[in-house]
Amino acid sequence: MASDDYRDIRSIAVHREDVVTALEANRRGDSGAVLRVTPPFSGRMRARLHIENADEYDATPAPIHILPSQLVADPLSYPTPDATEERLRNDADAEYTVERHHERHAAAVADWRESVADAIADSVALDGAFGTHRVAVAALG
């Protein structure tokens, strides 16, 4: 049964790729990416990738926005090109080239994305007008 009360939610489903993309976008440059749960609310809901915009929604109840960092247990630091370059230059077994730097950085980002996708939390706290409400998380994909 649909409701205006987010406390009726028991679980949310998220696509792993949506969580990874949102977290990466925020780590690369504070894009305001969130996972949004849109009313009406029911026991099982879907949280979808969304760019937060405070002026976009004026109906009541408002959607619930979940930061992607809330959905990931202890995410690794996002790899930067500078850190990748430093590791490559400190590798006595490899000569620095722009191509090798690009390859190693692409591999580091791919490893980071995989580690985030594997670290989706089992539950998350939703915050709203009635306080905090913990729900189960089902990671898809």
Side-chain angles (χ1 to χ4, degrees):
M1 176 157 274
S3 167
D4 286 348
D5 190 341
Y6 64 93
R7 295 174 298 178
D8 289 334
I9 301 171
R10 292 184 315 276
S11 66
I12 60 167
V14 296
H15 272 282
R16 291 178 193 278
E17 188 65 25
D18 286 352
V19 175
V20 170
T21 299
L23 188 59
E24 183 174 18
N26 290 345
R27 295 281 170 97
R28 291 179 78 180
D30 196 22
S31 71
V34 296
L35 285 291
R36 181 170 82 169
V37 180
T38 306
F41 302 118
S42 63
R44 293 186 297 184
M45 297 290 298
R46 172 76 194 284
R48 298 182 191 283
L49 179 61
H50 182 74
I51 301 299
E52 194 168 37
N53 178 351
D55 299 331
E56 74 179 319
Y57 201 91
D58 59 1
T60 301
I64 300 291
H65 288 179
I66 305 166
L67 295 173
S69 58
Q70 292 175 274
L71 292 165
V72 180
D74 299 321
L76 299 173
S77 296
Y78 186 77
T80 65
D82 290 343
T84 302
E85 179 181 359
E86 183 178 335
R87 279 192 303 280
L88 177 56
R89 290 190 185 276
N90 290 332
D91 185 346
D93 296 328
E95 178 183 347
Y96 178 85
T97 66
V98 171
E99 294 80 20
R100 187 167 287 127
H101 181 193
H102 175 75
E103 289 168 2
R104 288 216 180 163
H105 186 67
V109 170
D111 290 346
W112 178 88
R113 290 178 66 83
E114 186 176 323
S115 75
V116 169
D118 291 341
I120 305 295
D122 294 332
S123 68
V124 67
L126 305 180
D127 292 315
F130 303 112
T132 301
H133 173 64
R134 186 155 291 278
V135 300
V137 174
L140 309 173

